[in-house]
Amino acid sequence: MTKINHTPDEMMTIAAARELKDGQICFVGIGLPSAAANLARLSHAPEIVLIYESGTLDTKPDILPLSIGDPELSESALTNESVPEMFRFWLQGGHINLGFLGGAQIDRFANINSTVIGNYSEPKVRLPGAGGAPEIATHCGEIFVIIRQSKRSFVEKVDFITSFGHGEGKNHRKRLGIDTKGPTKIITDLCIMEPEPDSFELIVTSIHSGVSREEISQSTGWEIRFANNINTTKAPSNIELGALRALQNRSLEATFLSKN
Amino acid sequence: MTKINHTPDEMMTIAAARELKDGQICFVGIGLPSAAANLARLSHAPEIVLIYESGTLDTKPDILPLSIGDPELSESALTNESVPEMFRFWLQGGHINLGFLGGAQIDRFANINSTVIGNYSEPKVRLPGAGGAPEIATHCGEIFVIIRQSKRSFVEKVDFITSFGHGEGKNHRKRLGIDTKGPTKIITDLCIMEPEPDSFELIVTSIHSGVSREEISQSTGWEIRFANNINTTKAPSNIELGALRALQNRSLEATFLSKN
Amino acid sequence: MAKITDLKEAISESVIDGQTIALEGFTHLIPFAAGHEIIRQGKLDLTLIRMTPDIIYDQMIGMGCAKKLIFGWAGNPGVGSLHRFRDALENGWPKPLEIEEHSHAAMANAFDAGASGLPLAIFQGYKGVDLEKLNDKIKYITCPFSEQKLVAIPSIRPDVTIIHAQKSDQKGNVLIEGITGVQKEAVLAATCSIVTVEEIVEDLEATANSIIIPSWALNFVAEVPHGAYPSYAYGYYGRDNKFYTNWDKISRDREKFKSWVDINILKK
Amino acid sequence: MAKITDLKEAISESVIDGQTIALEGFTHLIPFAAGHEIIRQGKLDLTLIRMTPDIIYDQMIGMGCAKKLIFGWAGNPGVGSLHRFRDALENGWPKPLEIEEHSHAAMANAFDAGASGLPLAIFQGYKGVDLEKLNDKIKYITCPFSEQKLVAIPSIRPDVTIIHAQKSDQKGNVLIEGITGVQKEAVLAATCSIVTVEEIVEDLEATANSIIIPSWALNFVAEVPHGAYPSYAYGYYGRDNKFYTNWDKISRDREKFKSWVDINILKK
């Protein structure tokens, strides 16, 4: 085996990008999802359609935006729509195949917390809150979650359900009248998890190259199970790494070294 | 007295134009209302704001449009909005001071019919129908009606209430929870009528120059009453007539003699 | 992604007898060419939806394509009646026509709700009017905060929506300019959509907030120059008001109408 | 008709202690200058509404202008927390802050309903989430046609809405370009509205479908070049992402924050 020349974050972003298919209509959030989605667009999925909550429809940024409505998104978009239209026509109207979510906590049924650590009325840590997430989680055809894995982020039960995943498992989504798939893949810096058929509990389906089962178990706040037919996520190729690093470098440069 | 050198329609249009005040926000329909509103704009009310249902906001046509969405309206508008926005933001949102309505029939309480003569399910004459009228009638601050006067058009009771005026009179609007004034002036080719305070029955408040009370009574399908302090509508001045005729001539020319 | 094709194929692959169809365009960009193609293909038993039926639906009704009309204002704008519509309604010629009648505010809200994936639209309207008593699609909800009563109507969800627009790019992204009516809403509310365009261009030359319907929200795009005539296309050609006025004469008489259609639609 | 005036007068004639105020602008065209003027004028007890509070509300909260925040996502976009917001919430500094929390979809719909003169907005959302249990403004209606249960929330109706835009003409008609967020809806939903603009021009050079708020729907227009900085104004200047990143350090510390405000807002 060659020696590892990528960071866990790079593995996570590249693993997420690989899951994206050309032509998909994606609702993208800032940070890791945005990096993965744009990496996919700049490599194997040139016709992927990226939509950001700010109303930028089919946008093709050359650098990663810092905020959800950076000039780069606006200027490279097919058009800019109002935020009510974005939520009503495009999201609620059912046009989005895939939504990307992140969060501070995720639980064994892929419910996500991005609101508060501790008690809502007396927070230990107050997080930014829901934003578009609750409705992204139910209106998109399916959801990918990108999140760094640790015992603090992968918890038995989230402190607060900001976005509904599979609730308490089984047919919980159906029971609530939600007819979209919800989280189908959780991509972390260690592995890929998917909800197990029927139970909808998250199980590991692919372990990133160089990561051990023990590492994963020790970074999960519940007794994580592994699929029978488990895959190994291929390490990033030099081409993938090169593309991601180039994207991130020119983004950093544009964001922080520009004279504005 | 000088000899009459204007038609009853001209008198009606000019009388209506005079009632419009500079700076008003008017929702305008095609035909007589459009002629009156644009005459006002081109003479004493240059800052009047004209809005047509097609979404043309603050439009300044140089000729009278044939339809509610002629190129002349669109091109001279401040901007063009979608029809849902027009109805939701501008009309229902309460931004319009004055709405203009016409119709085939009007009754003693200023209810208007533009739907059907005879029975709805077996019509004697099927008219175009409601269009924007029902909501214009309740959402605009007040309503002016322009309509040619005859026993057929001024009826005791309309065959069909397309747009609500004062219902059965008295506080009927209030009882229905409508907080706008409804029809405040009915401008015909013979006179101006207004709802009598309290009863809200239409009474004649101004008789057009050269018209007799008998003419008005004989052209009304109920026993029309006259206000105590009745005015005489001044005959059109040469300036008014000149402006109206010029407007109409250039409209006819543009509409029917253009090579398109 | 929209399939870029010709009008004939777009119609024959989309429109099926008995469907609910909306041809939208509020006085502007009315998809006349598409309506004519539906007539040529002899589609039947359609439920036609349109805020303002206009001449195009007069022609389709007169040729017997429609079994029902859902509308707000059925006239020849600025001219008078739609005689074919009236003949169908008053005399059942060439066949009886069922109607479902709304106000424009109701229809605009219902299209908007359809585009928004909602089963109903709510608005303030229909107060004191007779339509409210005749149309059983008009119901009410009570606002749980203000206790206000608001009108509820079902959203409009056509099987097929057809509109005309100025231009599309090679991918099928469509740009609309000028008076846009409820076209975008009608497209997004539909199961299947067709857009005819004046031209397919390399570059839409759009501004930051241009009204663009993305290709992936459409099914068919067909280049049909002059496809809105005698209505108009802002930036391309004006409205033929003379034709609208002449239609009154043509359409008053059944035979005159049929021979006009024969020459101007069927034999084209 | 809008009164064209300076920012100081626009704020002092509009904003009253205790009111409900929305400063809108979704990542773009955030009315920073107007927020700073509110801080300078020492307004108190405000209920602040904003989909994404951003740095401007962090500053206003840190200076004690707010008693309540109605919001959807309170962060420094792409950077992290709003430390002044968190300090108010977690430690009551400089005073306790009440919050009312929604999803973005809820707020967008509620602004839209406010602009539309409706007492409530309906949408599909909040399914299975905890916010639904905590916020008593979230209720339900049942669609009388489909029997579907839909979320109902009260429309947003600010006493004053303030936005920033690119330009206004001499009459006060305002043109907005680029990402427009819920600005138009927020203005139309408000009792009183202020627009600061980059410049007042002779001719807006608008296209047929430009997003223009007419003068007669506004109360005050004030020319404030660079009025959205460190946010941006499409066509004028870019976003100062460096400032957003630096804000994290400035705002973490109460004293550092106060001295920054002193130099950069109060003494300006």
Side-chain angles (χ1 to χ4, degrees), chain A residues 209-225:
Chain A
S209 160
V211 173
S212 70
R213 288 191 180 213
E214 291 63 40
E215 253 179 288
I216 294 173
S217 294
Q218 280 163 18
S219 306
T220 310
W222 70 88
E223 213 163 301
I224 183 77
R225 293 187 290 120

Side-chain angles (χ1 to χ4, degrees), chain A residues 63-125:
Chain A
I63 56 167
L64 297 173
L66 182 67
S67 88
I68 211 162
D70 272 20
E72 181 73 13
L73 291 175
S74 172
E75 283 161 22
S76 68
L78 182 64
T79 191
N80 292 280
E81 304 212 330
S82 77
V83 167
E85 278 202 12
M86 179 52 64
F87 279 104
R88 291 162 66 232
F89 288 174
W90 301 108
L91 189 63
Q92 186 175 263
H95 291 277
I96 317 289
N97 307 140
L98 179 70
F100 258 118
L101 290 175
Q105 289 183 329
I106 185 167
D107 68 20
R108 71 197 295 159
F109 294 111
N111 303 298
I112 297 172
N113 175 15
S114 56
T115 300
V116 70
I117 304 295
N119 191 286
Y120 183 77
S121 52
E122 283 172 49
K124 238 183 280 177
V125 183

Side-chain angles (χ1 to χ4, degrees), chain B residues 67, chain C residues 25 27 30 32 50-59 61 73-77 82 85 230-231 239 244 247:
Chain B
S67 88
Chain C
T27 67
I30 298 175
F32 268 93
R50 222 179 113 74
M51 290 186 66
T52 58
D54 200 89
I55 292 179
I56 184 62
Y57 274 17
D58 210 33
Q59 293 169 349
I61 291 165
W73 191 89
N76 182 346
L82 292 178
F85 159 70
S231 156
R239 191 174 192 264
Y244 271 85
W247 182 252

Side-chain angles (χ1 to χ4, degrees), chain A residues 139-210:
Chain A
H139 290 313
C140 296
E142 62 183 314
I143 297 293
F144 288 179
V145 184
I146 308 193
I147 177 168
R148 292 187 189 95
Q149 195 163 348
S150 76
K151 272 216 155 89
R152 279 172 63 192
S153 58
F154 279 67
V155 296
E156 172 74 35
K157 222 171 163 33
V158 289
D159 292 358
F160 192 95
I161 300 182
T162 308
S163 312
F164 191 75
H166 299 289
E168 295 166 6
K170 299 211 176 119
N171 63 346
H172 202 164
R173 284 179 80 86
K174 276 226 177 88
R175 275 195 285 130
L176 295 185
I178 306 169
D179 53 11
T180 50
K181 286 187 194 156
T184 51
K185 283 186 203 288
I186 318 299
I187 300 126
T188 83
D189 44 353
L190 304 180
C191 65
I192 298 175
M193 298 180 193
E194 296 179 38
E196 185 181 47
D198 302 326
S199 77
F200 284 86
E201 183 179 323
L202 293 180
I203 57 171
V204 177
T205 55
S206 188
I207 300 178
H208 296 344
S209 160

Side-chain angles (χ1 to χ4, degrees), chain B residues 23 25 46-47 49 51 57-58 60 74-75 77-82 84-85 87-96, chain D residues 1 111-118 157 169 171 173 184-185 188 204 206-217:
Chain B
I25 320 293
E47 294 298 318
V49 174
I51 295 174
L57 213 65
D58 199 353
K60 299 173 167 57
S74 173
E75 285 160 21
L78 182 63
T79 192
N80 293 279
E81 303 212 330
S82 77
E85 276 203 14
F87 280 104
R88 292 164 63 233
F89 288 173
W90 302 107
L91 189 62
Q92 186 175 263
H95 290 277
I96 318 289
Chain D
M1 293 284 285
F111 271 120
D112 186 86
S116 303
L118 291 173
R157 291 261 164 105
D169 64 19
K171 286 187 181 174
N173 297 305
K184 183 171 160 183
E185 290 79 2
L188 298 183
L204 292 176
T207 58
N209 301 98
S210 284
I211 299 166
I212 296 176
I213 308 181
S215 175
W216 42 267

Side-chain angles (χ1 to χ4, degrees), chain D residues 101-138:
Chain D
E101 196 166 351
H102 293 276
S103 72
H104 274 170
M107 292 197 72
N109 277 294
F111 271 120
D112 186 86
S116 303
L118 291 173
L120 81 163
I122 56 171
F123 68 105
Q124 295 180 320
Y126 281 138
K127 278 181 187 150
V129 303
D130 282 342
L131 211 48
E132 189 267 354
K133 299 165 199 158
L134 286 166
N135 185 335
D136 61 9
K137 297 279 173 66
I138 302 170

Side-chain angles (χ1 to χ4, degrees), chain D residues 197-230:
Chain D
V197 294
E198 286 297 321
E199 55 174 341
I200 296 176
V201 296
E202 276 303 316
D203 181 356
L204 292 176
E205 287 170 17
T207 58
N209 301 98
S210 284
I211 299 166
I212 296 176
I213 308 181
S215 175
W216 42 267
L218 296 170
N219 297 83
F220 297 95
V221 170
E223 190 177 64
V224 185
H226 242 60
Y229 176 86

Side-chain angles (χ1 to χ4, degrees), chain A residues 222-235:
Chain A
W222 70 88
E223 213 163 301
I224 183 77
R225 293 187 290 120
F226 295 80
N228 294 332
N229 283 319
I230 205 151
N231 294 320
T232 301
T233 319
K234 263 200 298 187

